Amino acid sequence: MALSIPKPKPVWEDRFAIPSVDALRDDLSKQSLALVDHLRTTILSVQGVKESVAWCGPSWKWSVVFKDNAGRIVAYIVPQPAHTKLVLPISTHILSRLPSREVSKWMRDGITAATAVGDIRWAHWEFQSKANIEELLWLLEARLPSLAIQSS
């Protein structure tokens, strides 16, 4: 009887092998890759923001984490090939200042469904288009005013 060798897990799913950001990008479709790269470039243009890779549990698995100089989370990109998403921690203070007419239903749904921890809502969105990315960057700009200066 021949031994069956288990199929290796995708890089973003293998908890015991820390991948690089490039390795996480390799499994993405061409469209997702372009969108993720645009997000990464824009987020990293904010002074003091650094990226790293972290295991984020069974739901998000290996993700790209963006933190500011103080170590606060700016955003996560969860690069799962079928469900790539951006996660933003948003304070209730920021949410109260958002002009409701400028927030699309898609974005409102992500905020409404977000898990609340204290005064932070952990909102996440699966994105599939450049328009989605532009909306998310608009929301990120509301959280990080310096983003508008850096990406303009």
Side-chain angles (χ1 to χ4, degrees):
M1 182 156 122
L3 288 174
S4 68
I5 299 173
K7 185 178 175 184
K9 289 183 176 188
V11 68
W12 57 272
E13 215 175 62
D14 185 354
R15 180 179 183 178
F16 301 104
I18 302 170
S20 65
V21 173
D22 287 337
L24 290 172
R25 293 171 66 252
D26 286 345
D27 285 342
L28 297 176
S29 69
K30 195 184 256 189
Q31 179 184 1
S32 289
L33 181 59
L35 297 172
V36 164
D37 285 349
H38 180 59
L39 267 175
R40 284 181 61 224
T41 300
T42 305
I43 294 169
L44 288 170
S45 73
V46 178
Q47 187 171 355
V49 171
K50 303 278 187 251
E51 75 178 356
S52 61
V53 174
W55 178 257
C56 296
S59 295
W60 295 349
K61 300 176 181 13
W62 287 108
S63 298
V64 182
V65 182
F66 299 89
K67 293 182 180 180
D68 66 12
N69 281 334
R72 293 178 299 237
I73 301 293
V74 172
Y76 291 91
I77 294 177
V78 182
Q80 296 176 8
H83 304 285
T84 303
K85 62 183 67 97
L86 180 72
V87 180
L88 296 176
I90 308 169
S91 73
T92 52
H93 171 72
I94 296 292
L95 288 174
S96 68
R97 294 186 328 182
L98 291 178
S100 60
R101 287 189 296 246
E102 293 182 34
V103 179
S104 71
K105 180 179 179 343
W106 176 74
M107 186 159 295
R108 277 194 314 272
D109 289 348
I111 293 168
T112 303
T115 301
V117 179
D119 73 338
I120 303 293
R121 295 191 70 88
W122 288 86
H124 65 281
W125 297 268
E126 287 185 27
F127 51 86
Q128 297 161 347
S129 71
K130 179 93 167 162
N132 291 155
I133 296 300
E134 294 309 317
E135 282 187 81
L136 292 170
L137 289 173
W138 174 84
L139 183 58
L140 189 58
E141 183 181 312
R143 286 191 56 240
L144 300 170
S146 60
L147 183 64
I149 297 164
Q150 298 293 325
S151 66
S152 296

